[in-house]
Amino acid sequence: MTTVLGSLEQVLLMAPGPSPVAPNVLKAMGIPTLGHMDPDCFKLMDALQEQLRAVCKTRNAVTFPISGTGSAGMEACFVNLVEPGDAVLIVTNGVFCSRMVEVASRLGAAVDTVECPWGTPIRPEAVEAQLRRKHYKLLAVVHAETSTGVNNPVAALGALVKGSDTLFLVDSVAGLGGVDVRVDEWGIDAFYSGSQKCLSTPPGLAPASFSDAAMDAMAKRRTKVPNWYLDVALIRNYWEGSPRVYHHTAPINMYYGLHQALDNLLTEGLEASFARHQAMHQRLVEGLGALGFSLYVKEGAAPQVNLFVPPAGVDANALRLRLRQEHKIEVAGGLGALAGKVVRVGVMGEGARPEPIDRLLAAVKACL
């Protein structure tokens, strides 16, 4: 029997995730698999934790990748910190903020929201006003909203609850590695990201970090964490226990890939990576602007997630289809209310380089 693998096309990934994977990351993932309780595997896990602390700019002891995609990171943060009846405030200005509301609601939380228009950054003053009205156990926000192309002012929101007992939860699935993240300085208590965005690793891991305050809140829970697989206290014993306690069979080859990708990022330098993402964003905006496209976001545009409104007479979905069929390039369509109205382009990780940007621009010009 033959497989379909030989018939799969090589596609340039320019949607906002997954991003192109560096050749040395793919090579690392092909290294023979170790057992998940092998001493060499533990050495790799220790190295991964140190790399993630450096990239997240944190000293949190509990910093490791969750076995699952960014959505598993979201679930892990909420199921460990939220119990029925807990007051939770979620700031929403896109699809993934709304998913936070869904997850917290399923856990029985008393969820309030501060709604902001799609395509505009969150207004800290609106959040501050709501925090004055009521005490919350948790404030949650998406740093880089993939559905709208906005980077939200996480530092300003963290300042609103600093020094209080309100925990601060941040999703930076589409941000980490491409734009600055300062977990400790911004007062973030629960943090998660994804391997497949600016870290340029295949989907499957969700880097996460928890402060001492978050761990203390978990220890004081009135009820058991309702999800065994994502129970951080149990997973922690596997990552740093003495002795290590088996929890689940870890995706070892994904660890190889993430380890190499983080080495690539740290070797380049975080500030250099941020500057590269910004420069390639500008290259894309200018190139598509010359073809009649306009950037959807007018304020707080995320360099790593770009939404473009096509020129008059150009159908966004038809353009996406032609790019994929004729040029082997993938870009994404709009989500929710933006479906069919915009194209979403990722400038992420290995995709944030001149060659893929220029190839995309040439292909769009040919399609027009």
Side-chain angles (χ1 to χ4, degrees), residues 6 9 23 59 66 82 98 100 119 127 170 231 236 248 269 272 297 305-306 346 362:
E9 296 181 315
R59 299 178 66 183
I66 301 289
V82 173
S98 300
M100 284 183 164
V127 180
V170 174
D231 187 326
R236 181 184 187 181
H248 64 277
V297 176
V305 183
N306 299 260

Side-chain angles (χ1 to χ4, degrees), residues 293 308 310-334 338-344 360 363-368:
F293 290 75
F308 291 97
V314 176
D315 180 86
N317 289 333
L319 174 61
R320 288 177 53 228
L321 185 63
R322 286 194 64 187
L323 285 171
R324 174 61 181 85
Q325 289 182 340
E326 298 176 18
H327 299 276
K328 308 299 182 258
I329 299 174
E330 177 185 287
V331 297
L338 296 177
K341 299 177 180 178
V342 298
V343 290
R344 292 185 302 134
L360 173 61
V364 172
K365 185 175 182 180
C367 288
L368 296 182

Side-chain angles (χ1 to χ4, degrees), residues 23-61:
N24 66 348
V25 172
L26 291 174
K27 183 178 179 181
M29 294 181 67
I31 293 172
T33 305
L34 286 170
H36 51 279
M37 299 299 286
D38 188 284
D40 282 347
C41 180
F42 296 152
K43 291 178 186 176
L44 171 65
M45 292 163 67
D46 291 343
L48 263 176
Q49 291 182 88
E50 286 304 311
Q51 289 174 311
L52 285 175
R53 290 186 186 104
V55 173
C56 296
K57 297 183 179 176
T58 183
R59 299 178 66 183
N60 287 341

Side-chain angles (χ1 to χ4, degrees), residues 191-212:
F191 173 87
Y192 64 93
S193 186
S195 57
Q196 78 277 19
K197 305 276 187 173
C198 296
L199 299 181
S200 278
T201 310
L205 292 175
S209 186
F210 300 91
S211 71
D212 290 344

Side-chain angles (χ1 to χ4, degrees), residues 186-240:
W186 296 348
I188 300 172
D189 294 295
F191 173 87
Y192 64 93
S193 186
S195 57
Q196 78 277 19
K197 305 276 187 173
C198 296
L199 299 181
S200 278
T201 310
L205 292 175
S209 186
F210 300 91
S211 71
D212 290 344
M215 296 307 298
D216 185 57
M218 293 180 209
K220 292 177 179 177
R221 287 181 62 97
R222 303 180 303 275
T223 59
K224 275 189 174 183
V225 174
N227 185 310
W228 180 90
Y229 183 71
L230 296 175
D231 187 326
V232 167
L234 298 179
I235 301 171
R236 181 184 187 181
N237 289 333
Y238 173 54
W239 276 89
E240 58 181 54

